[in-house]
Amino acid sequence: MRLFNLSKEIWKNSTTVKINPQEAWDMDFFLKPWFYNNGYEEKYTPTSPGWYWIGCDIDIQELESIYPTIKGKLPKSACIINELAKQNLQTFGSNSLCKKNENDCLIIYNGHQSNVIQRIRQHFMLNNDKTGAIGLRHYPMSKIRWTVSYFAKNHIQRLKQEDRSDVKRLINNKSGRVAIENAWRAAYGWPILCKE
């Protein structure tokens, strides 16, 4: 129960960046200059472990019909969106998947990483075959409104005093980050493009 409650507090105290269409395909996306050039300088977080959530204003059914912009040009480690969306819908059923929130935003992916900002960038840009990620820029999704939320070490001070030491231990340890990632999914549903 403690992890479940902490996951909700971490989510509630995360930083959210609303990304205008096309911004996510800027080659500097989620690098320090991008934060500063787009008026997000106070949201920039240097290298830090943490959790993240990627959302957009698309329906689950629309994801089942999204194909790469140029067939055969996806990095080997990229997600095949339409196939994964169909597979997860079949596996989890619509009742166990994330639903759109009050802002018409569907969380399509959540995760954790030892460098949370770099990991978010990988999901959009994906320039190589080394790391598995969604690779959103390889799909015709640049007109969609995106949100990225993340919780890094400097967010711990936002939490209630009694939660800070627990979250500090969890954020610094891969097993701890995985536990919070999965507790969040138990609370809010499985994001349609998460593999495991």
Side-chain angles (χ1 to χ4, degrees), residues 11 53-64 66 81 85 89 93-94 96-110 124 134 136 141 144-149 184 188-194:
W11 168 244
W53 300 264
I54 298 172
C56 61
D57 64 349
I58 196 169
D59 292 319
I60 288 173
Q61 292 71 24
E62 290 175 89
L63 288 168
E64 292 181 281
I66 298 273
I81 289 177
L89 189 56
S94 60
S96 296
L97 293 171
C98 284
K99 306 283 186 273
K100 282 190 173 182
N101 64 23
E102 63 279 357
N103 298 317
D104 198 35
C105 180
L106 175 69
I107 300 299
I108 61 167
Y109 198 96
N110 84 311
F124 282 86
I134 301 173
L136 291 166
M141 300 173 79
I144 294 169
R145 287 184 300 118
W146 294 94
T147 62
V148 174
S149 300
W184 185 92
Y188 296 100
W190 189 269
I192 187 75
L193 296 184
C194 283

Side-chain angles (χ1 to χ4, degrees), residues 50-93:
W51 297 274
Y52 63 94
W53 300 264
I54 298 172
C56 61
D57 64 349
I58 196 169
D59 292 319
I60 288 173
Q61 292 71 24
E62 290 175 89
L63 288 168
E64 292 181 281
S65 60
I66 298 273
Y67 293 88
T69 307
I70 303 171
K71 290 186 179 182
K73 296 291 183 182
L74 278 177
K76 290 178 187 175
S77 54
C79 169
I80 301 173
I81 289 177
N82 64 316
E83 290 179 12
L84 186 56
K86 287 175 187 174
Q87 178 186 325
N88 279 343
L89 189 56
Q90 183 178 23
T91 300
F92 294 99

